Each structure stands twice: as C-alpha cells, then as structure tokens.
Amino acid sequence: MDGQAHAARTMWNCLHDWWTMLPKDKRSLAAADAAIRQARREIDWLAVLPAQAGQAVLKTYVQAWKNCWEWRADEPNFKARLRTVMSVDIPQGRDLQIKRVHRRWGMVNIPKVGRVRFRWTKDLPVGKLANRENRITGARLVKDGLGWHIAFRVQTLESKPEPHTGPEIGIDAGVNLPLALSDGNHQDHGRPARLPDGTADRDKWLNPDEKAKLLRLEQRAAHRKSFRKPKERSSNRLNRTYDQIKQLRAKATRRVVDWQHQTTTHLARTYGTVVVEQLNITNMVKSSAKGTIEEPGTNVAQKSGLNRSISQEAWGRTVTMLTYKTGRYGGTLVKVPAPGTSLRCSACGFLTPGSREGQATFVCKNPDCGWCGNADWNAARNILHLYRIGLVAIPAAGRAVVRRTRGVKPAAAR
C-alpha cells in the first residue's frame, strides 16, 4: 500500500509537470490518459499503482483545475513527500468484493494487495441490501500515524429534507471558549487552551500520561538525531521514534474531530438557521510580529501561541461540517461580516473604546448601558443581530437566504 501511495503521488507530480509544460491547445483528457498509460508501461514502479487508481488521479487533477477556474480553490501544485497525506483511490465498487465475516470485522479486496480485514463500524449496502439505488461505488485508502484506513463511497437515495423550523442561533468561534452561542448554550470541550503558567497548551487533547510519554519521545528523538551526520539517512531507531510521536499526534487529532462531529451534529439538529462569521483564518494565523532586524517585533511569543491555539481549534473544519450537516437536516448556514462583532456591545449597539477588557470579559463603557458578560457570548449575539438586520455575506448551505444577481457584492462588503 505504501508503494501504491507513493506511485499515486509521483503520478500526480508528473501529470502536473506534463500539463503545465504543454501549450493550452494541446491539453486534453485523451492526451493525458495516453501519457499515463505510456508512463505505466515504461516505468516499472509506476505500474505498482492499478490502472483504475491512475485514472482516479487524472480525474482528481482535472477537478482541481475546475475548482481553480471557478474560484473555489487555488491552483493545483506539486505534492511533497513529507507534507502529503498518503492515499490511494479505488474508483470501482465491484473490485472491492466486500464480505462481512463477524459482527465487528469485514473483508475487502484491495487491487494488487489481496483480501484485507477491516473494522466494520457502520452498516454498508452489501449482499442482499445492495441494489441500483443503494450500493457502494468505490473506496479511498488513507494512511495516518495509526495505520491505513478505508472509507467507502456509498450511493443512496434519500428524501429531500423538510425545512428546519428550529430557532436561529449565532456562533462565535474562540480559543478559550470553542463555540459561544447567542442563546447561552455554549459548546465547550473541557480542555483549557493554556497551561497554568499562561503558555499555550499545544497538546491539550492528550491526557497527562500521554503528554509525559510524548515529551520522552521528543527528547529521545532529539538525542538520536544529534548522532546523525549531515546528509546521512535517519536510523531505524530514529524513524521508529518518529512513528510513535505520529501515533500520539494522530490520536489527538481523532479526539478533536470526534468532538467536532458530535457538536456540529447536535447544532444542525437543534437549530434551523446557524450564523457564523466570515473569517479569513489563513491571514489570522500569519505571524508578522517578528518584524525585522532594524525594527524587531513585540509580543512575538504571545502571537505565536495564539496562532497555535487557533490552528488547534480548526475553525474552518467546524464550519465545513456545519455547512453540509445543516443542509442535510434542512437548515441553513449563513456567514456574516466579522469586523466589529467582538468590540460592539450587543445590548446598546454602540462601539465604545475599552469595552473589551480581556479575552473573556466585556463591560460596555457606554454610561447609558453598562452591560457586562462574556466577550465571546457578546460577539455571538452581535453575529445573530447582523443576520437579522440583513447584513448577510454568503448563504453558505441549505435553503437560499438572499437572492441577488451573480457578481453583485452585498451591501455589507462596502
């Protein structure tokens, strides 16, 4: 499987090099398919990848360019060996030959690998349960620190969901309070973002024993790395230590994704309209606090810790889950402009300097108001208020919220 994954990544890189080198009038699916077939015939280790998986690489690459042309994503680029998730696509469901052998286990056929056992975690349309409208159309194999995993693509016929009649809710994503809701039912994972000394906790999803083990492994890896000479390959012992570190990191990632799935499912089932901020997270985590040699920056460590905490919370993944889950349950997800939501008072509507006294405290300095409360809760109330007065940025999912001519910017963008 590792060989197939490396071959798929290399085929993507060769295809990207071939595509960008040719003139535009000579780029076509037929020419790309012929180039892939020729490469598999002439290069032995590329032939390790099944022919159908190679066609899936071509299909994914063409779709990446379509997403770029329609302004949904950036241009596709080369896939680096160390930064790319190892994966292989099986586009034909009939090649899988899935069979359930136990209540918890099943067997699946992987092309050029053979019969492999997998953990049966969800009902699949196999055997008598499969038909034209409810069947498995393919699978995807993905590797992380805990090993290889398989995800099946299932085609099923579902009824169109009825419009969700639940209440409206505004959500503010934060660091200390992960999801603050405008009605006060905040969603917290119970893991503080900072250590007792005030520094950011980069391993908050691990328990104390796992944190101690991770520290020992990192120290061991640093010690073994000190014996490696420049341009010398890593030893097997060092690679084994790196694998143990990856396993702990993968376990932490599983925990945060599980919490996000459970929380977003609860929100999509409970509320009919979910309103969030339109955040550019990529720009938020860019650290410009270091400055230059002539003008060194200030609060570099604080900004670095904040960036790490924002990346840990994975706000973008939470919004993505809310987007498709609200549509699945008949609800709506809406994005509103973010500027001023955390600084404006949700009670009187005035933006008074100094009202945001801290990360979690908001006290309105307006003499006629004086409202006080949690800063994230105040921002969530402002987010919901922006939706109710019509300052909608993007109807992200579910039913249409604002209808306007394509290409016309909303009033809030001015």
Side-chain angles (χ1 to χ4, degrees):
M1 286 308 307
D2 290 351
Q4 291 190 20
H6 287 306
R9 178 186 56 83
T10 306
M11 185 169 292
W12 172 285
N13 292 338
C14 294
L15 180 62
H16 180 67
D17 200 4
W18 176 88
W19 185 277
T20 54
M21 183 177 58
L22 284 181
K24 292 185 178 180
D25 56 342
K26 294 185 179 180
R27 300 174 185 172
S28 64
L29 285 177
D33 179 63
I36 289 177
R37 292 175 183 269
Q38 182 181 0
R40 294 185 70 255
R41 287 194 302 267
E42 297 178 356
I43 304 175
D44 295 338
W45 53 270
L46 272 183
V48 174
L49 186 68
Q52 293 82 3
Q55 297 297 321
V57 173
L58 174 59
K59 182 179 179 181
T60 306
Y61 182 77
V62 173
Q63 184 61 42
W65 274 112
K66 291 181 179 180
N67 295 338
C68 174
W69 296 331
E70 297 175 2
W71 301 97
R72 293 198 300 266
D74 295 333
E75 291 185 5
N77 208 334
F78 293 99
K79 292 188 176 182
R81 180 184 179 94
L82 298 179
R83 295 192 301 269
T84 303
V85 177
M86 298 179 64
S87 62
V88 179
D89 200 12
I90 306 176
Q92 296 181 349
R94 63 174 179 268
D95 295 337
L96 298 173
Q97 302 177 9
I98 303 172
K99 182 179 179 180
R100 191 165 189 171
V101 297
H102 189 262
R103 182 173 61 90
R104 295 184 178 181
W105 297 97
M107 296 291 291
V108 60
N109 183 64
I110 306 299
K112 293 196 174 185
V113 175
R115 301 292 289 174
V116 179
R117 185 180 68 169
F118 69 95
R119 183 68 179 267
W120 198 290
T121 58
K122 193 174 183 179
D123 292 335
L124 296 173
V126 296
K128 297 181 180 180
L129 299 178
N131 51 50
R132 184 180 296 272
E133 298 177 350
N134 189 21
R135 57 194 176 91
I136 295 177
T137 59
R140 187 172 182 82
L141 296 157
V142 182
K143 185 180 182 181
D144 62 3
L146 298 176
W148 281 97
H149 312 280
I150 186 168
F152 297 101
R153 286 190 295 270
V154 179
Q155 175 183 317
T156 183
L157 195 63
E158 295 183 356
S159 58
K160 185 178 180 180
E162 296 292 333
H164 201 302
T165 58
E168 303 167 349
I169 193 67
I171 300 178
D172 177 70
V175 175
N176 293 331
L177 186 59
L179 296 178
L181 275 60
S182 57
D183 61 356
N185 297 324
H186 309 310
Q187 302 296 316
D188 189 3
H189 45 56
R191 299 176 183 269
R194 298 189 179 275
L195 296 172
D197 57 358
T199 59
D201 187 4
R202 58 177 301 185
D203 304 313
K204 62 183 178 182
W205 289 96
L206 299 177
N207 58 41
D209 294 338
E210 292 169 340
K211 288 183 180 180
K213 181 180 178 181
L214 179 61
L215 179 60
R216 292 195 304 269
L217 291 174
E218 290 177 342
Q219 292 174 346
R220 185 184 304 168
H223 176 70
R224 290 176 175 174
K225 186 178 179 181
S226 63
F227 295 99
R228 189 180 65 180
K229 298 179 181 179
K231 298 183 180 180
E232 185 181 9
R233 294 186 61 181
S234 301
S235 64
N236 292 333
R237 289 185 177 183
L238 180 58
N239 290 332
R240 185 163 61 250
T241 305
Y242 284 154
D243 291 340
Q244 292 175 333
I245 294 175
K246 289 180 182 178
Q247 291 176 3
L248 288 176
R249 298 290 187 195
K251 184 179 295 185
T253 303
R254 278 190 172 190
R255 288 173 181 171
V256 61
V257 172
D258 178 71
W259 179 84
Q260 286 178 318
H261 271 296
Q262 295 189 28
T263 304
T264 52
T265 301
H266 167 72
L267 295 176
R269 288 177 175 175
T270 305
Y271 301 100
T273 302
V274 179
V275 189
V276 298
E277 291 179 305
Q278 175 68 30
L279 297 175
N280 192 338
I281 304 175
T282 303
N283 292 339
M284 292 177 63
V285 297
K286 284 183 178 179
S287 180
S288 59
K290 293 183 179 180
T292 60
I293 299 178
E294 295 79 9
E295 297 180 0
T298 58
N299 298 328
V300 178
Q302 291 83 345
K303 175 58 177 173
S304 178
L306 178 61
N307 293 344
R308 188 181 298 112
S309 299
I310 293 175
S311 300
Q312 273 189 329
E313 293 299 332
W315 296 341
R317 187 167 56 203
T318 301
V319 174
T320 300
M321 292 180 181
L322 280 173
T323 300
Y324 73 81
K325 290 183 180 181
T326 50
R328 177 185 299 172
Y329 292 102
T332 308
L333 186 133
V334 185
K335 296 180 180 180
V336 299
T341 55
S342 60
L343 302 178
R344 183 179 293 106
C345 178
S346 60
C348 64
F350 284 95
L351 199 156
T352 309
S355 297
R356 183 74 181 264
E357 294 185 350
Q359 182 68 27
T361 306
F362 186 93
V363 179
C364 183
K365 302 301 181 182
N366 183 10
D368 299 331
C369 179
W371 183 87
C372 62
N374 184 274
D376 295 331
W377 181 35
N378 175 74
R381 295 174 58 178
N382 286 327
I383 292 170
L384 180 60
H385 178 68
L386 287 178
Y387 164 73
R388 289 176 173 173
I389 64 177
L391 295 181
V392 177
I394 299 175
R399 305 188 306 274
V401 181
V402 175
R403 297 182 181 273
R404 57 175 179 271
T405 305
R406 184 177 181 182
V408 178
K409 294 183 178 181
R414 291 198 296 267

